[in-house]
Structures are given as structure tokens and as C-alpha cells.
Amino acid sequence: MKSLGIIAEYNPFHTGHAYHIKKAKEMIHPDYTVIVMSGAFVQRGEPAIVDKWTRSKIALENGADCVIELPLACGVESADYFAHYSVLLLKEMGVTDLVFGSEDGHIETFLDIAKTIETYPDLYNGYVKDAMKTGLRYPDACNQALSLLMHKEVRTPNDLLGLAYVKEIVHHHYQITPHVIKR
């Protein structure tokens, strides 16, 4: 049985979101589709523009079979924690495939980076810590570490979040296959 997972906020839902659901379903041909969605507050801690009930209804009308609310404490965290709890919920629901939007558009980029971080965690974390000691923000420190390790960077918000999803899947050996839709 194939099951599609999407992590979303839909704040507010727009045609790009409808396109994402449609294309993801065309890619995976799932038996069911699960969306993990922020509740009353979105990832950056702001109140959602549209209430969670309306956003859930719209997601169901656009192809979701199930919408699960990401608990508040998990939903307003940094990208790494947001991804951790979102992917964990999808894993617990038995989702087989996760599809996210990406400016890069190549799942190999995310898998390569996640596997490198998993293979060299002490080196990567050391580079991140050293960069932060110089005053760099965490995302910039991570990019500097990636640049030193593999001459790669991840800069756009969707790519950063997508990488966080893939890192969770790789780190925990979840039986979820990640896919991207180029934005």
C-alpha cells in the first residue's frame, strides 16, 4: 500500500498548494494521502491567517484523505524540530512517500547532503559550532559547514526545510521515500 505524506501550513491555501497536492498524487499514485499541518500558529510563531478547521477542510477538498495537526509546541520550533516531529507523525501514520516543494528540485542533492552529515556528524557539528562562535547564525553556520565538507549550500527556505525532512528520514532510517517537486 502506498501512502503520500505532505507537510504544510496552508497559510493561506493557494493555487501553488493545490498544484503540489495534485502533482504529488500523480507522482506517487497513493492509496491515501496524509497531510501534517500547523494549527492555530505557524512555524515562525505567527498566528495563522485562516483558522485550522478551514485550512483542513480546504486540504480535504483538494485531495487529502487525512489532516493531522502538528502540536503547537512542535509547530513553532526551528526547521529541524518542525521537521523532526512532522516526519515522525508521518512515519507513525505508515506513510511510504513524502513529497515537498524545492527550489533545487533534485532529491539527490538532499540525500547526498543528509548522508554526508550522517557519515561525518562530529566533523559537521564541529564546523557548525566553530562558525557560530564567529557570530554566524545557525543556518549560515550550517551552510559554511556544508561548503567545507562537500562544496554545497542550501539557502532557500523551502530547500532548508526539505533538507531537514530528508535528514530525519536518513538519520532514523525511516521507511519513507522522499521526493521533490521543483518550485
Side-chain angles (χ1 to χ4, degrees):
M1 178 180 282
K2 294 206 50 109
S3 51
L4 168 63
I6 294 174
I7 301 167
E9 293 186 316
Y10 299 151
N11 187 40
F13 192 90
H14 54 70
T15 56
H17 295 132
Y19 175 83
H20 179 211
I21 294 170
K22 180 180 182 258
K23 286 297 177 189
K25 290 181 88 162
E26 288 173 3
M27 287 172 69
I28 306 305
H29 303 285
D31 294 297
Y32 67 94
T33 300
V34 177
I35 296 182
V36 171
M37 188 179 71
S38 301
F41 291 85
V42 294
Q43 187 195 356
R44 291 162 196 86
E46 304 160 342
I49 295 169
V50 178
D51 70 84
K52 63 185 179 182
W53 307 110
T54 303
R55 290 182 289 129
S56 294
K57 182 177 182 244
I58 293 168
L60 292 166
E61 291 170 350
N62 280 273
D65 296 303
C66 175
V67 178
I68 300 172
E69 180 179 354
L70 183 62
L72 174 66
C74 307
V76 295
E77 285 285 348
S78 67
D80 286 338
Y81 288 108
F82 180 89
H84 171 77
Y85 293 109
S86 298
V87 174
L88 177 61
L89 282 171
L90 292 175
K91 192 269 294 180
E92 292 298 322
M93 289 296 295
V95 164
T96 60
D97 295 85
L98 168 65
V99 179
F100 60 91
S102 158
E103 286 83 6
D104 177 82
H106 302 284
I107 195 62
E108 298 80 18
T109 301
F110 299 99
L111 288 167
D112 188 32
I113 292 170
K115 288 174 183 174
T116 298
I117 292 170
E118 188 68 19
T119 303
Y120 303 103
D122 294 335
L123 187 58
Y124 173 77
N125 290 327
Y127 285 151
V128 171
K129 287 176 186 174
D130 290 345
M132 289 181 70
K133 286 178 187 173
T134 69
L136 286 180
R137 297 176 320 116
Y138 179 71
D140 296 326
C142 291
N143 265 319
Q144 183 171 312
L146 290 176
S147 182
L148 290 168
L149 271 176
M150 47 192 321
H151 307 292
K152 293 188 179 187
E153 290 186 341
V154 178
R155 292 249 176 234
T156 62
N158 291 304
D159 284 353
L160 289 166
L161 201 49
L163 176 58
Y165 301 150
V166 175
K167 286 187 331 189
E168 284 299 312
I169 292 168
V170 168
H171 179 71
H172 295 288
H173 308 285
Y174 290 154
Q175 297 301 304
I176 299 174
T177 304
H179 308 268
V180 297
I181 294 174
K182 180 138 176 77
R183 295 186 58 150

